[in-house]
Amino acid sequence: RRPAPVPAVAGPGTIVFQSDRGTTKGIYSMRQDGTGLTRLYDGGTDGASAPTVSPDGRRIAFATSAFVSPAVFNDDVYVMDADGSDVVSACGSAGFQDTQPVWMPDGRLLLTESTGQPHPVACDLATGPRSPLTSLSTPIFEPSDSTD
């Protein structure tokens, strides 16, 4: 079982988080004092989760889960500007189920968990290719970065 979602910090005094306000999961921001609540992305019937803010604070990556049929969901990772505009698919991952985005310190690469891959996949936001980070056969889940 995964831990509860943790809000991400987006610039001085602002947090970004997922919430089930209404009937779906969406991505929201607000000031740390609780004022200025803004819906950045409405997950609609699909939902949105796992928001994470880019190192420069200008973009937010998040996961969606699109309902395809009663037994099939299509998970993907998207990136949007910090104000909720310009939402685009991050990995162009047809045939893969990408979740749990993590920014790399340079802000150019995103790591995701991906079905069909036992280890994190790197998505290059500038050029689009997806590539496995390792050839280990042991599964690795919930990637994270380190500034060390």
Side-chain angles (χ1 to χ4, degrees):
R1 187 180 145 158
R2 293 178 192 242
V6 176
V9 177
T14 303
I15 60 172
V16 175
F17 59 97
Q18 76 183 42
S19 178
D20 292 357
R21 296 171 189 273
T23 58
T24 63
K25 288 182 183 175
I27 306 297
Y28 294 81
S29 70
M30 71 178 176
R31 288 187 282 283
Q32 289 178 349
D33 66 5
T35 62
L37 178 67
T38 303
R39 182 186 317 163
L40 300 174
Y41 181 83
D42 181 353
T45 58
D46 301 331
S49 62
T52 181
V53 179
S54 65
D56 65 8
R58 297 181 345 178
R59 297 181 292 169
I60 299 166
F62 61 97
T64 65
S65 185
F67 177 79
V68 177
S69 70
V72 178
F73 284 87
N74 183 22
D75 297 328
D76 201 0
V77 171
Y78 285 82
V79 174
M80 65 182 165
D81 290 342
D83 66 0
S85 64
D86 198 23
V87 179
V88 296
S89 176
C91 299
S93 56
F96 294 94
Q97 305 290 317
D98 293 325
T99 62
Q100 303 300 317
V102 175
W103 290 97
M104 290 293 87
D106 67 2
R108 196 184 101 227
L109 295 176
L110 268 176
L111 297 184
T112 70
E113 288 184 21
S114 183
T115 58
Q117 299 290 330
H119 41 269
V121 170
C123 299
D124 187 321
L125 297 177
T127 62
R130 310 169 79 251
S131 58
L133 291 183
T134 179
S135 60
L136 295 174
S137 59
T138 305
I140 301 171
F141 298 102
E142 297 186 20
S144 66
D145 73 326
S146 172
T147 56
D148 296 343

